[in-house]
Each structure stands twice: as structure tokens, then as C-alpha cells.
Amino acid sequence: PWEHVVMLRLARGYSGDREELPRGGEFFIVEGDLLIDGTARHAGTWLRLPAGSHIALASGGGALLYRKSGHLG
């Protein structure tokens, strides 16, 4: 039932598996570019996903990402 906050540095060429967010999540791209479910997002983008969402992250050039999860469900 607790929220979890992390800063993630994604390496150049990162391609992650699709993951479930059973209690939702928020993402903020601090630097770099990111593909979120195949859609290009850039530094300064904030995304909030409701409980039960799924997400797949990838980054060609690398990215720094703030991730908060577990607090929306």
C-alpha cells in the first residue's frame, strides 16, 4: 500500500518489457527522450497512469526519469 519513488537512468538503446502498474504511476522525464508505448516523449513531459495500466519504456539516446508508483489505486 506504500508509494515507491525512484530516479531511473536509462542507458542509450534501452528497451524494457511491458510492465503492469497495479496501483498506477507517475513519470516525469528529467532529461533525454523516451518512447512510452511507442510514442515519443521529451524532457519536461509528465505522465500519470491510473491503477491497472501497463507501460513499455524505451530510449534510443538514454534518459533520466522520475518514477512514482503505488499511490493511485
Side-chain angles (χ1 to χ4, degrees):
W2 299 97
E3 66 186 36
H4 188 229
V5 177
V6 295
M7 292 291 286
L8 301 172
R9 177 146 328 257
L10 304 181
R12 186 178 301 258
Y14 175 84
S15 182
D17 294 328
R18 188 164 179 79
E19 61 180 295
E20 182 180 5
L21 300 169
R23 297 185 54 83
E26 295 179 72
F27 298 83
F28 180 72
I29 303 171
V30 177
E31 62 184 46
D33 296 309
L34 197 61
L35 285 176
I36 299 175
D37 294 326
T39 301
R41 308 289 183 164
H42 309 285
T45 298
W46 174 75
L47 181 68
R48 184 175 190 175
L49 300 171
S53 295
H54 292 82
I55 191 168
L57 303 176
S59 181
L64 179 62
L65 179 68
Y66 169 94
R67 175 181 167 157
K68 182 177 179 181
S69 60
H71 63 296
L72 298 174

